[in-house]
Amino acid sequence: MTDLVLYSHPFSSYCQKAIVAFYEKDLPFEQRMLEDQGAMVELAALWPFGQFPVLKDGDRRFAEASIIIERLDQIAPATPLIPADPALALETRFMDRVFDNHVQSNQQRIIYNALRPEADRDPIAEAEARAKLETAYAWLDDVMADRTWAAGEVFTLADCGAAPGLLYAHWTHAIPENHIHLWAYRRRLLARPSYARALDEARPYRNYFPLGAPDQD
């Protein structure tokens, strides 16, 4: 029995982000699936905001996927997802914020708008979110022109979030075909064994995607 308990759902992009880190480090953990009412009650007691994933580590609690991954680096430092080099560590954290705040955040704004009753939808907010995704795609295409992974040549925290972030972002607002460097990066992410495993575990839940999951990836 492991002391690491992750409250999560395999279809959630932020949960996939944390799960990829576990798989990169080959760390055993118990997953408390948030389709179970008992797990939801436990989550509410640990983190009243109700967001997930949440990691229970013995008698300690860690919320937010990036913080969970930093905790996993403390537990298993031999396979760091935040580089020891200060400059690379800063670039890793910066790119992690880019994928969370400029890719996933805008993708989710579009999804949340689609989930509203039609009369309550905000076309202006959706158009703004789509425009910001276009900006993010173009910027990332330029950045990835001379990098293998988000922060350079080593797979890091930023890539853990980029994999599900770009997957769902493309499903929501397609990445233009001319962004060849971003497309090549996305293919590397999909082929990464840790993410391929997390993605396979999420396949049974694809009908949850509000816009209809495409028959790809």
Side-chain angles (χ1 to χ4, degrees):
M1 178 69 70
T2 176
D3 285 339
L4 301 177
V5 180
L6 187 70
Y7 291 82
S8 65
H9 191 282
F11 198 65
S12 158
S13 59
Y14 286 106
C15 292
Q16 287 180 21
K17 177 178 174 177
I19 289 168
V20 166
F22 275 102
Y23 292 161
E24 283 287 325
K25 293 173 173 292
D26 197 25
L27 268 176
F29 67 102
E30 176 188 349
Q31 184 169 197
R32 293 287 283 142
M33 284 278 291
L34 294 174
E35 290 188 324
D36 176 79
Q37 187 60 36
M40 291 296 294
V41 171
E42 293 169 22
L43 174 67
L46 287 168
W47 190 236
F49 297 100
Q51 295 170 312
F52 48 87
V54 170
L55 175 67
K56 186 173 183 292
D57 179 6
D59 60 357
R60 300 180 69 186
R61 175 266 301 138
F62 299 90
E64 303 292 340
S66 296
I67 299 301
I68 290 170
I69 294 172
E70 291 221 32
R71 175 56 179 161
L72 298 185
D73 258 11
Q74 294 175 348
I75 294 169
T79 50
L81 290 168
I82 299 173
D85 177 85
L88 283 177
L90 197 61
E91 183 67 8
T92 294
R93 290 188 175 94
F94 168 65
M95 292 300 292
D96 176 60
R97 295 297 82 220
V98 168
F99 284 109
D100 276 8
N101 294 333
H102 299 287
V103 176
Q104 294 215 61
S105 176
N106 285 304
Q107 181 267 335
Q108 289 181 344
R109 285 176 67 195
I110 297 167
I111 294 297
Y112 294 151
N113 196 50
L115 290 171
R116 293 173 177 170
E118 188 169 356
D120 296 333
R121 291 176 189 165
D122 185 343
I124 296 175
E126 179 169 331
E128 289 174 349
R130 291 185 183 276
K132 287 179 179 179
L133 280 177
E134 291 278 353
T135 299
Y137 293 159
W139 186 86
L140 286 165
D141 186 60
D142 185 59
V143 168
M144 296 310 302
D146 59 358
R147 299 184 184 188
T148 301
W149 301 110
E153 298 309 303
V154 178
F155 190 95
T156 67
L157 158 71
D159 303 293
C160 293
L166 288 173
L167 178 89
Y168 291 138
H170 175 62
W171 287 8
T172 302
H173 184 81
I175 299 171
E177 293 182 4
N178 66 323
H179 291 338
I180 59 173
H181 306 300
L182 182 55
W183 270 106
Y185 174 51
R186 187 175 183 270
R187 287 192 293 270
R188 289 192 293 274
L189 290 169
L190 290 170
R192 186 80 176 185
S194 58
Y195 187 61
R197 181 179 173 185
L199 187 57
D200 280 343
E201 291 171 351
R203 290 185 191 281
Y205 305 97
R206 287 194 168 198
N207 62 305
Y208 287 11
F209 194 67
L211 304 181
D215 187 19
Q216 59 181 252
D217 304 320

